[in-house]
Amino acid sequence: MAAKEDPAVTHFREYIRINTMQPNPDYVSCTAWLRIRGEAAGGEVEVVETFPGKPVVVISFPGTRPELGTLLLNSHTDVVPVFPEHWKYEPFSAHKDSEGNIYGRGTQDMKCVGIQYLEAIHRMKKQGKTFTRTIHLTFVPDEEIGGETGMQEFVKMPEFKKLNAAFALDEGYANPTDKFSLFYGERCVWWVMVKCTGQ
Amino acid sequence: EDGQCPWWDAFAKACADENVCLEKTVFPAATDSKYLRIKGIPALGFSPMNHTPILLHDHNEYLNENIFLRGIDIYCTIISGLANV
Ligand SMILES: [Zn+2]
């Protein structure tokens, strides 16, 4: 009776079941799983460690004009802790109820986004679409503890510079209405101003 | 902001094509994009979840599978728009 599940949903639920909860995220299993999914989507997978045991998984899809600045699609792989006694279902079970609601730590923040990027590109590649610019998906560790051992360090590394990123997408929030929340980022001005007033 | 940044224009056009109505705001907390912006890389924070209560870091965090799948459609349009800027 139950309709067959879309493979993208199955992949999402697999990703939720990998316990990457702080303070001891299972990055080993997470990296191995992302490598499989990245290669299945036709991407080139590279793993860069910011610190021992802190992997950034980079999945790249070369564009037809690789000299152009690239599109960076970022997500973090870690999730915040849980109090399982307050949950209706086990927080890493990815339980799906009769309404299609999938419960799990990371379903909103932000494993959904990481796997949606990947599934979207996989689908377009299957349709034979090509891109002008190279696309890099970065799956970074430790955002939930401030990013010092994750993105903050990664952006200083030669491996980051090599990506030649020109524009990036990262996480937003859910929106309970019919609208979608967007957190705008062209306000680089902000950061410059903070620095100036601080000195 | 329209017409001044080709990345923004491509993003906005993709959202219009997908009938995604945006509520623009400043991120209430810090996230990894701040490290990208410090490096001079413009970044937008967007997770395609509407009709969804804000449950990040909360108990019973969930996402409906249809919202999730619709998000993939939306990203197809956004990513192909941005990757062809
Ligand atoms: Zn997050």
Side-chain angles (χ1 to χ4, degrees), chain A residues 123-165:
Chain A
R123 186 196 295 175
M124 289 189 284
K125 280 186 74 87
K126 276 193 286 194
Q127 293 165 346
K129 286 202 179 123
T130 57
F131 308 106
T132 318
R133 293 177 188 263
T134 294
I135 303 170
H136 300 291
L137 273 61
T138 48
F139 292 83
V140 301
D142 288 3
E143 189 272 347
E144 298 291 6
I145 54 168
E148 280 93 349
T149 44
M151 188 55 106
Q152 186 178 41
E153 189 62 25
F154 184 51
V155 297
K156 297 177 193 161
M157 296 172 71
E159 288 89 345
F160 178 79
K161 197 157 196 272
K162 206 181 73 188
L163 299 182
N164 190 25

Side-chain angles (χ1 to χ4, degrees), chain A residues 87-117:
Chain A
W87 283 66
K88 285 194 263 183
Y89 309 103
E90 202 282 309
F92 294 93
S93 64
H95 177 89
K96 185 165 79 174
D97 71 12
S98 56
E99 290 160 51
N101 295 325
I102 298 163
Y103 286 82
R105 176 58 87 223
T107 49
Q108 293 191 16
D109 180 19
M110 64 172 296
K111 286 179 170 173
C112 53
V113 170
I115 197 75
Q116 281 167 324
Y117 294 149

Side-chain angles (χ1 to χ4, degrees), chain B residues 44-84:
Chain B
L44 291 175
F46 176 72
S47 301
M49 298 183 283
N50 65 349
H51 298 298
T52 303
I54 302 173
L55 290 170
L56 80 166
H57 301 193
D58 208 342
H59 316 310
N60 295 313
E61 179 181 349
Y62 76 87
L63 182 62
N64 186 274
E65 70 175 329
N66 294 321
I67 300 283
F68 172 80
L69 289 168
R70 169 91 180 101
I72 296 173
D73 299 341
I74 293 168
Y75 272 129
C76 281
T77 305
I78 289 175
I79 292 170
S80 79
L82 292 174
N84 292 305

Side-chain angles (χ1 to χ4, degrees), chain B residues 4-64:
Chain B
Q4 288 178 24
C5 170
W7 296 105
W8 168 254
D9 293 345
F11 184 86
K13 182 184 183 304
C15 288
D17 290 349
E18 283 289 338
N19 288 315
V20 165
C21 181
L22 296 171
E23 211 164 71
K24 291 182 235 172
T25 165
V26 176
F27 208 74
T31 183
D32 277 338
S33 20
K34 71 170 176 282
Y35 301 118
L36 297 169
R37 290 180 190 144
I38 288 168
K39 281 274 163 185
I41 300 164
L44 291 175
F46 176 72
S47 301
M49 298 183 283
N50 65 349
H51 298 298
T52 303
I54 302 173
L55 290 170
L56 80 166
H57 301 193
D58 208 342
H59 316 310
N60 295 313
E61 179 181 349
Y62 76 87
L63 182 62
N64 186 274

Side-chain angles (χ1 to χ4, degrees), chain A residues 32-116:
Chain A
W33 186 83
L34 286 172
R35 181 183 289 282
I36 293 167
R37 294 268 36 98
E39 285 170 356
E44 297 165 8
V45 182
E46 196 189 346
V47 179
V48 182
E49 282 196 325
T50 52
F51 291 95
K54 303 291 187 188
V56 176
V57 181
V58 183
I59 306 176
S60 301
F61 299 88
T64 53
R65 291 187 59 194
E67 73 279 9
L68 294 178
T70 65
L71 174 62
L72 187 72
L73 303 176
N74 186 58
S75 65
H76 61 81
T77 54
D78 62 325
V79 298
V80 296
V82 292
F83 298 95
E85 64 274 22
H86 296 295
W87 283 66
K88 285 194 263 183
Y89 309 103
E90 202 282 309
F92 294 93
S93 64
H95 177 89
K96 185 165 79 174
D97 71 12
S98 56
E99 290 160 51
N101 295 325
I102 298 163
Y103 286 82
R105 176 58 87 223
T107 49
Q108 293 191 16
D109 180 19
M110 64 172 296
K111 286 179 170 173
C112 53
V113 170
I115 197 75
Q116 281 167 324

